[in-house]
């Protein structure tokens, strides 16, 4: 079990929300860059260093696409790099495209980390107290996605065994896809009815019904919430006072951070790499314990 899995769902959700909001809404490029580096390190730890080449290539392609596309369509800025026809490609537009790419990449990476840590049980726990029906609907929707893929594979395998593999050109493939879709929709409706009947038979929605949970708010959760809240306050104060201002147009203008801005950036950097530090500390402790056996 990963150490970050031990945190309470509320404290973990508050942490991810803090990092994502500061990454997306910060005008200073240092915060999204710290978020991207910390998120990549955390994702590598969650996946034990096994990063698929396809995912890396897709992320790099999206990064380059946004970074290159922005100066081709936005021609603001005074520093002209070259002319593309009658349109000027400016340095400011290129830098803004790179900054936007970093922010989007960081948001995508932290969303993947959120998906790996916040399981359906944790989401059900968070939403169940506010709206049990919404929580059940959300959890069922998440569960049905892999079930649909598995059932679609079974249906296609059964059709191939029956000789209905979609041969005969595009029309044959279209008919095979229609048969698969029809069978899948019928199965999903029947499964939904069975799930609803099972939940009703188990007393879901009755008054006075209690819920069992293994999650407990511990001292580590309090420390995580305090660290995230302090970072949010520092970053919000830096933005409100203009210590984290950064303008791209018409010229790149950086407001030199004072003590408040520097502390806010440093605090966010620490917050971004906090999961990696915690996982590394636990791994080191585990190795020390194994060496003493």
């Amino acid at each position: 079990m990963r150490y970050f899995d031990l945190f309470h769902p509320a404290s973990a959700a508050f942490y991810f929300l803090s990092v994502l909001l500061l990454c997306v809404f910060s005008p200073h490029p240092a915060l999204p860059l710290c978020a991207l580096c910390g998120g990549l390190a955390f994702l590598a730890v969650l996946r034990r260093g096994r990063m698929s080449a396809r995912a890396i290539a897709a992320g790099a392609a999206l990064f380059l696409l946004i970074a290159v596309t922005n100066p081709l369509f936005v021609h603001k800025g005074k520093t002209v790099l070259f002319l593309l026809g009658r349109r000027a490609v400016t340095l400011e537009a290129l830098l803004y495209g790179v900054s936007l790419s970093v922010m989007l990449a960081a948001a995508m990476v932290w969303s993947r980390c959120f998906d790996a840590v916040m399981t359906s049980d944790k989401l059900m726990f968070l939403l169940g107290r506010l709206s049990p029906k919404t929580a059940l609907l959300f959890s069922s929707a998440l569960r049905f996605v892999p079930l649909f893929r598995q059932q679609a594979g079974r249906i296609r395998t059964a059709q191939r065994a029956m000789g209905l593999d979609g041969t005969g050109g595009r029309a044959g493939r279209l008919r095979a896809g229609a048969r698969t879709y029809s069978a899948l929709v019928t199965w999903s409706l029947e499964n939904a009815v069975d799930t609803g009947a099972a939940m009703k038979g188990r007393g879901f929605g009755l008054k006075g019904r209690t819920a069992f949970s293994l999650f407990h708010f511990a001292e580590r959760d309090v420390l995580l919430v305090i660290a995230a809240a302090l970072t949010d306050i520092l970053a919000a104060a830096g933005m409100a006072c203009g210590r984290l201002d950064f303008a791209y147009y018409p010229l790149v203008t950086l407001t030199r951070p004072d003590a408040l801005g520097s502390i806010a950036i440093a605090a966010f950097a620490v917050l971004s790499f906090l999961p990696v530090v915690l996982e590394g500390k636990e791994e080191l402790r585990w190795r020390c314990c194994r060496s003493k056996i």
Side-chain angles (χ1 to χ4, degrees):
M1 177 181 288
R2 300 180 297 259
Y3 182 78
F4 215 80
D5 292 332
L6 301 177
F7 283 98
H8 193 272
S11 61
F14 182 74
Y15 170 81
F16 283 113
L17 187 63
S18 299
V19 174
L20 282 172
L21 288 179
L22 292 179
C23 169
V24 172
F25 293 103
S26 171
H28 201 285
L31 270 66
L33 183 60
C34 293
L36 178 60
C37 295
L40 288 174
F42 188 27
L43 188 62
V45 171
L46 292 175
R47 297 189 175 182
R48 302 297 181 183
R50 294 188 295 270
M51 302 286 288
S52 63
R54 185 176 181 180
I56 296 175
L62 180 62
F63 181 90
L64 293 176
L65 178 64
I66 298 175
V68 173
T69 302
N70 186 73
L72 296 180
F73 291 95
V74 179
H75 306 286
K76 299 179 181 179
K78 293 185 177 181
T79 307
V80 179
L81 297 178
F82 57 90
L83 294 176
L84 189 62
R86 295 183 179 181
R87 301 288 185 175
V89 177
T90 63
L91 176 63
E92 290 79 11
L94 179 61
L95 292 177
Y96 183 79
V98 172
S99 177
L100 183 61
S101 301
V102 171
M103 184 269 290
L104 291 177
M108 293 175 60
V109 168
W110 278 102
S111 298
R112 291 200 172 190
C113 296
F114 178 87
D115 181 66
V117 174
M118 300 298 293
T119 60
S120 58
D121 293 338
K122 295 182 179 180
L123 293 176
M124 187 75 175
F125 174 82
L126 289 177
L127 299 176
R129 302 297 178 90
L130 300 176
S131 178
K133 294 182 180 179
T134 303
L136 178 63
L137 180 63
F138 185 69
S139 178
S140 299
L142 292 178
R143 176 56 181 155
F144 273 133
V145 172
L147 286 179
F148 281 166
R149 297 180 62 181
Q150 295 175 6
Q151 187 65 19
R154 297 191 189 101
I155 294 173
R156 285 194 294 267
T157 302
Q159 288 188 354
R160 292 193 191 100
M162 297 170 60
L164 304 174
D165 54 352
T167 57
R170 184 177 299 177
R173 292 193 298 270
L174 185 61
R175 286 193 296 268
R179 285 192 297 267
T180 302
Y181 178 76
S182 176
L184 186 61
V185 170
T186 303
W187 171 85
S188 63
L189 293 176
E190 293 177 352
N191 197 12
V193 172
D194 293 340
T195 302
M199 294 301 297
K200 185 177 180 180
R202 294 173 183 175
F204 181 81
L206 296 178
K207 293 183 179 180
R209 181 176 177 268
T210 59
F212 173 74
S213 174
L214 294 174
F215 304 114
H216 301 285
F217 211 82
E219 182 180 357
R220 58 175 173 266
D221 299 294
V222 177
L223 296 177
L224 182 64
V225 170
I226 291 175
L230 287 177
T231 304
D232 294 340
I233 294 172
L234 288 172
M239 294 178 193
C241 297
R243 302 298 186 268
L244 296 177
D245 289 346
F246 194 97
Y248 293 92
Y249 305 115
L251 288 173
V252 176
T253 305
L254 171 63
T255 301
R256 188 173 183 180
D258 59 355
L260 178 60
S262 301
I263 292 174
I265 295 174
F268 183 76
V270 172
L271 188 69
S272 301
F273 285 92
L274 183 60
V276 181
V277 174
L278 294 176
E279 296 291 344
K281 185 186 72 172
E282 285 300 309
E283 182 69 21
L284 183 61
R285 179 183 299 179
W286 170 246
R287 291 185 179 183
C288 291
C289 293
R290 290 184 60 183
S291 64
K292 295 179 181 179
I293 299 176

